[in-house]
Amino acid sequence: MSPIPTLSPSPEVTLYFCPLATEAIGPDEAELIRSWLPEDELTKVSRYVQADARDKALVVRGYLRGILSLTRSGDVTLSPSEWQFEYGEKGKPDLITEQALLSGLKFNISHSGDWLVVAVYQGQLGLSGGERASIELGVDIERNRDSTNIYPILNHYFTQSETDELLSLPESSQRQRFFDLWALKESYIKAKGLGLALSLKSFYFDFARATKQKIEVSKLNNPAVECVLFDGIELYLVREEGDKCAADTWCLFLGRLSEEYRFAVSASHIGTFNLKAYQLTLTEMLSRLK
């Protein structure tokens, strides 16, 4: 079965987990990806001083363009070099309006340590008059770092309710909850496109109704693996001291790719959608683009 899905009749968000081992990229692969990039992106890549960081920046951009080209969406078939991006006030990338409306695609990306995750929404972006729908999508992947002293951070970035709930957990579970919350918060602020201009204390997550499920991560040439996935997490917006309201338009998922890595997806104005996941190496992606 192909790891690249066709357009579903219902809204769909697909997660592509891509290993970032830069030793896998040879001169030919690097030159091919460079040929896809416009001058401004090549300039951004060249600004990294260390060779490994330059290679990783190149691979990330290659994955994004390649995945967009492999994601079947109606009659739209663009090569990796043809995708054009625009950037929000805080730097959030998006497809230019014409390509977004024609393809029905919206994306967000995140990388940490050895993994990149690309989230791609497939659905209807057009509204009456050719306007663009206000769909918000954010994804984050986080590595559990044992060296991080989590407790001084709680008062700065977590609401009191989040802090109280975390501290009520067994000590062995507190670090896991910290990085779970951090991934959720990052995915939400990325979806909003405001960066840290949006206070991390202006919203919080409630796990009271969260349910534990499984998500299958499909692979091209190997058996699929199952990962833990939490659904039913609720988002609340904090307006004033003690005043909160439920953000009912948001759909949230939290998953564990492994013991070390977790990921989160925040999506708004999509409604109920299917969530799929695939693992795709650079070699596999490039071979499918030939």
Side-chain angles (χ1 to χ4, degrees):
M1 183 179 68
S2 168
I4 307 299
T6 56
L7 183 61
S8 170
S10 60
E12 186 171 282
V13 173
T14 304
L15 304 179
Y16 299 92
F17 294 101
C18 309
L20 286 177
T22 55
E23 62 268 17
I25 184 171
D28 292 341
E29 292 85 358
E31 188 59 34
L32 173 61
I33 294 175
R34 287 192 189 95
S35 74
W36 297 347
L37 305 186
E39 197 61 40
D40 63 319
E41 290 192 47
L42 288 170
T43 299
K44 290 176 183 178
V45 170
S46 68
R47 287 175 183 162
Y48 290 92
V49 176
Q50 297 182 340
D52 184 64
R54 284 198 304 274
D55 287 345
K56 185 172 289 189
L58 187 67
V59 168
V60 167
R61 286 166 170 79
Y63 266 127
L64 174 59
R65 288 176 172 272
I67 286 170
L68 289 173
S69 289
L70 289 172
T71 303
R72 310 292 198 268
S73 185
D75 296 327
V76 178
T77 55
L78 296 179
S79 69
S81 63
E82 291 180 295
W83 295 105
Q84 298 180 51
F85 305 116
E86 59 188 22
Y87 299 87
E89 183 180 343
K90 299 299 180 179
K92 181 182 180 181
D94 205 349
L95 290 175
I96 62 172
T97 299
E98 180 184 3
Q99 290 185 348
L101 292 175
L102 287 172
S103 67
L105 299 180
K106 192 174 183 69
F107 71 89
N108 197 238
I109 66 173
S110 174
H111 56 87
S112 177
D114 298 329
W115 287 99
L116 163 74
V117 59
V118 180
V120 181
Y121 164 82
Q122 293 176 283
Q124 182 58 254
L125 293 179
L127 296 176
S128 60
E131 295 179 357
R132 190 167 175 175
S134 58
I135 288 170
E136 297 170 295
L137 175 66
V139 67
D140 187 60
I141 188 166
E142 291 291 334
R143 181 163 54 98
N144 185 345
R145 294 174 290 276
D146 292 335
S147 60
T148 302
N149 184 357
I150 66 173
Y151 299 103
I153 301 174
L154 299 179
N155 291 333
H156 292 287
Y157 299 114
F158 289 6
T159 64
Q160 192 61 51
S161 61
E162 287 173 325
T163 299
D164 291 345
E165 185 179 351
L166 182 150
L167 294 176
S168 71
L169 296 172
E171 187 173 348
S172 59
S173 301
Q174 291 177 10
R175 178 172 293 274
Q176 292 288 345
R177 175 57 61 85
F178 173 87
F179 284 105
D180 287 347
L181 284 170
W182 196 263
L184 282 164
K185 284 180 176 285
E186 285 283 350
S187 72
Y188 175 69
I189 64 173
K190 290 182 69 180
K192 298 297 293 182
L194 299 175
L196 291 178
L198 179 64
S199 169
L200 294 180
K201 283 191 168 187
S202 65
F203 58 94
Y204 72 91
F205 300 96
D206 190 335
F207 286 78
R209 294 183 176 85
T211 58
K212 187 176 180 180
Q213 304 179 24
K214 296 283 187 179
I215 185 170
E216 189 175 86
V217 181
S218 300
K219 300 182 180 181
L220 182 61
N221 297 314
N222 294 290
V225 297
E226 283 191 337
C227 295
V228 173
L229 186 74
F230 293 94
D231 190 7
I233 302 166
E234 295 177 306
L235 170 66
Y236 288 88
L237 306 182
V238 181
R239 292 177 174 172
E240 296 178 3
E241 189 69 29
D243 181 22
K244 66 176 185 179
C245 68
D248 296 329
T249 62
W250 286 87
C251 190
L252 310 164
F253 290 97
L254 172 70
R256 302 271 173 81
L257 186 61
S258 65
E259 286 297 317
E260 187 178 7
Y261 289 91
R262 76 253 301 111
F263 60 91
V265 181
S266 295
S268 180
H269 304 297
I270 295 177
T272 303
F273 61 87
N274 299 319
L275 184 68
K276 295 183 178 181
Y278 298 87
Q279 184 173 318
L280 188 67
T281 69
L282 186 66
T283 300
E284 290 168 346
M285 185 192 75
L286 293 176
S287 68
R288 294 186 63 84
L289 288 166
K290 291 180 179 178

